[in-house]
């Protein structure tokens, strides 16, 4: 009979997400993963699969924790389109001074790091990014920026790259102001 799990699965997935978010796929060693999760290699394999499967869990967790709330907010028609887009870009400004913000966006990192070499990662990243693009399109559909949804979308992900590269809050605030002028 199998022993029952003695760990909090959500906590382990959060730890996996953070290891891969900070270090990338290749930079995340099993030692890093085991230290962050508190699980040994055998337990990780038995519960989640190999390193590639762990990475997929991390990306899925990032989507659930960070992308899905943004999608929900962008689709919330009780808020003005400007307030929703401002909220989206304010998250970049806020991230500029946080440790995790300086790690960039796990989706952006995965798109560059692993998606070109792994169809499953590419599909997961593309689906998540596409959901955000569709939510932005929904948000701006009846505004002067209706035809600028893709520009807003790419500016948002580009903003994550700027945060990772260490751009100041002032630069990010200026970019946010320029995007808001579209509305």
């Amino acid at each position: 009979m199998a022993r029952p799990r003695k760990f909090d699965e959500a906590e382990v997935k959060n730890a996996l997400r953070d290891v891969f978010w900070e270090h990338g796929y290749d930079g995340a060693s099993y030692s890093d993963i085991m230290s962050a999760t508190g699980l040994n290699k055998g337990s990780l394999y038995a519960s989640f699969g190999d390193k590639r499967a762990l990475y997929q869990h991390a990306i899925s967790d990032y989507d659930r924790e960070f992308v899905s709330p943004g999608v929900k907010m962008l689709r919330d028609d009780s808020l003005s389109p400007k307030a929703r887009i401002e909220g989206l870009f304010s998250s970049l400004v806020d991230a500029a001074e946080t440790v995790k913000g300086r790690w960039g966006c796990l989706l952006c990192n995965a798109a560059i790091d692993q998606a070109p070499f792994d169809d499953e990662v590419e599909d997961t990243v593309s689906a998540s990014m596409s959901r955000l693009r569709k939510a932005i399109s929904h948000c701006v559909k009846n505004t002067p920026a209706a035809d600028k949804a893709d520009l807003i979308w790419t500016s948002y992900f580009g903003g994550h790259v700027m945060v990772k590269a260490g751009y100041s809050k002032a630069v990010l605030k200026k970019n946010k102001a320029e995007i808001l002028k579209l509305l």
Side-chain angles (χ1 to χ4, degrees):
M1 174 162 45
R3 286 187 287 170
R5 291 182 178 179
K6 293 185 180 187
F7 60 87
D8 182 316
E9 189 170 327
E11 286 180 18
V12 170
K13 286 183 177 180
N14 286 344
L16 287 170
R17 178 200 64 220
D18 288 355
V19 168
F20 286 115
W21 188 4
E22 180 179 11
H23 300 287
Y25 179 79
D26 291 327
S29 69
Y30 262 105
S31 177
D32 295 329
I33 294 167
M34 290 185 300
S35 176
T37 62
L39 299 176
N40 65 37
K41 203 172 188 178
S43 295
L44 287 163
Y45 268 105
S47 300
F48 302 103
D50 64 5
K51 186 177 177 184
R52 181 66 56 194
L54 296 174
Y55 190 63
Q56 278 293 126
H57 281 292
I59 296 169
S60 295
D61 188 70
Y62 183 88
D63 178 81
R64 180 188 51 76
E65 185 77 20
F66 295 96
V67 178
S68 291
V71 168
K72 183 177 178 183
M73 183 265 306
L74 287 165
R75 291 189 171 277
D76 181 357
D77 292 329
S78 71
L79 301 171
S80 72
K82 186 173 185 176
R84 290 180 265 170
I85 298 298
E86 184 169 16
L88 185 68
F89 280 82
S90 290
S91 71
L92 293 173
V93 174
D94 295 342
E97 294 181 344
T98 68
V99 171
K100 288 183 181 180
R102 290 300 309 275
W103 295 346
C105 164
L106 182 57
L107 293 178
C108 295
N109 299 346
I112 295 165
D113 183 39
Q114 292 299 305
F117 314 107
D118 184 311
D119 291 341
E120 189 177 357
V121 171
E122 181 179 27
D123 291 346
T124 302
V125 169
S126 293
S128 187
M129 287 183 167
S130 180
R131 281 188 323 108
L132 191 63
R133 183 185 57 74
K134 288 175 183 172
I136 290 170
S137 292
H138 170 83
C139 178
V140 301
K141 68 182 173 197
N142 296 316
T143 73
D147 63 340
K148 303 284 190 271
D150 284 345
L151 174 64
I152 295 167
W153 177 63
T154 57
S155 295
Y156 173 72
F157 282 110
H160 276 291
V161 174
M162 293 171 70
V163 170
K164 186 171 184 165
Y167 279 80
S168 70
K169 285 179 85 166
V171 171
L172 294 160
K173 284 179 181 180
K174 182 180 178 205
N175 288 346
K176 178 177 82 170
E178 292 299 315
I179 289 296
L180 293 175
K181 285 181 187 177
L182 299 172
L183 300 168

